[in-house]
Amino acid sequence: FVSTPAEEIYAILSVESHRHQAWLVGEDLGTVPPEVDLAMKQHNVRGMYVIQYEIRADDEEPLRPVPVSTVASVNTHDMPPFGSFWRGIDLDDRHDLGLLDQTRLDSERLVRDQQRKALIRFLEADNRLKQGETDPEFVLQAIHEWLAASKTSVLLVNIEDLWLETQPQNTPNTYDERPNWRRKLRRSFEEFSTDTALIEKLRKINEIRSKID
């Protein structure tokens, strides 16, 4: 899409990474050419593992194992929050915006339903989710705990997912249609930092992470 002096940029990033003792992470999602993947590996740039991007409507392997040198998360700032994803609210929104016609909407809904079912069976088989449980709150916690138990370098938790926010931070392919990057959190820091149920979820995730070598 855009030509850049890649080798020079990688050299600068490598120097700054060494200087600050910091990891580099590349957003290797979507249409990424093979050359980028190769260059990232050569320069030890970590990739991303995003559940809502990875999940497949495949009972055999709905999720591939989490690679070690990655930053793992449920979603990103350009994806619908989990509450929206799980209920398919994002699909209806894209249809309302004219980004999906009715045929495509019906197709996407079918795939999403298959993804949900495959993910539930996967988490049940891994003993992360009780049999028959479909409540998004418990499904999300099971996903977080599965990610926490992996060998991922870093686990990111979207704080808004923990109260099942449905409004996205950003809706790609929109400008004036949606308040991108301007919506405030529904809860203040004081509110969610003293929410015992929310804190317990994070504590459990952190406890699992602390046992990973």
Side-chain angles (χ1 to χ4, degrees):
F1 293 79
V2 179
S3 295
T4 60
E7 288 306 315
E8 290 86 345
I9 291 175
Y10 277 117
I12 294 170
L13 289 172
S14 296
V15 169
E16 293 302 321
S17 171
H18 180 73
R19 177 181 295 168
H20 296 284
Q21 293 297 289
W23 288 340
L24 299 175
V25 181
E27 191 175 346
D28 55 343
L29 307 173
T31 53
V32 180
E35 294 81 4
V36 172
D37 288 330
L38 179 60
M40 286 176 60
K41 291 176 182 177
Q42 289 175 336
H43 294 87
N44 197 27
V45 178
R46 284 164 169 74
M48 298 181 69
Y49 183 97
V50 181
I51 290 289
Q52 287 173 203
Y53 186 86
E54 292 282 343
I55 184 66
R56 294 179 293 181
D58 180 356
D59 282 340
E60 295 297 321
E61 190 180 24
L63 289 172
R64 66 186 175 103
V66 184
V68 175
S69 296
T70 55
V71 172
S73 64
V74 172
N75 43 44
T76 74
H77 54 270
D78 285 328
M79 293 181 175
F82 186 76
S84 174
F85 174 86
W86 193 252
R87 298 184 178 97
I89 295 171
D90 60 307
L91 300 180
D92 293 329
D93 188 48
R94 288 164 62 196
H95 179 254
D96 291 342
L97 288 165
L99 301 175
L100 292 178
D101 60 23
Q102 188 61 47
T103 300
R104 183 71 183 277
L105 175 62
D106 292 340
S107 175
E108 293 275 354
R109 280 176 174 166
L110 178 61
V111 171
R112 185 67 59 81
D113 184 58
Q114 293 170 335
Q115 288 176 319
R116 282 193 295 263
K117 291 176 180 177
L119 182 59
I120 286 173
R121 285 190 283 266
F122 176 82
L123 294 171
E124 288 176 342
D126 199 56
N127 295 318
R128 300 285 175 189
L129 192 66
K130 292 181 180 179
Q131 292 288 326
E133 182 62 77
T134 62
D135 188 311
E137 177 182 354
F138 298 108
V139 175
L140 177 64
Q141 185 66 15
I143 294 172
H144 279 144
E145 292 179 14
W146 180 77
L147 286 174
S150 74
K151 297 290 188 177
T152 182
S153 300
V154 177
L155 171 59
L156 299 180
V157 175
N158 179 352
I159 197 72
E160 289 188 299
D161 277 341
L162 298 181
W163 58 76
L164 296 177
E165 176 63 62
T166 58
Q167 295 299 311
Q169 298 173 27
N170 178 51
T171 302
N173 300 313
T174 64
Y175 176 57
D176 288 331
E177 301 93 333
R178 294 292 182 268
N180 295 331
W181 313 119
R182 289 170 289 170
R183 180 181 59 76
K184 294 183 178 180
L185 290 177
R186 293 184 187 273
R187 300 187 187 182
S188 68
F189 175 79
E190 289 75 17
E191 287 176 319
F192 70 72
S193 65
T194 56
D195 185 323
T196 55
L198 187 151
I199 291 173
E200 177 59 23
K201 292 176 184 178
L202 293 174
R203 187 201 62 78
K204 183 64 181 297
I205 294 168
N206 189 60
E207 180 182 305
I208 294 172
R209 286 298 292 167
S210 66
K211 296 177 181 178
I212 304 300
D213 294 332

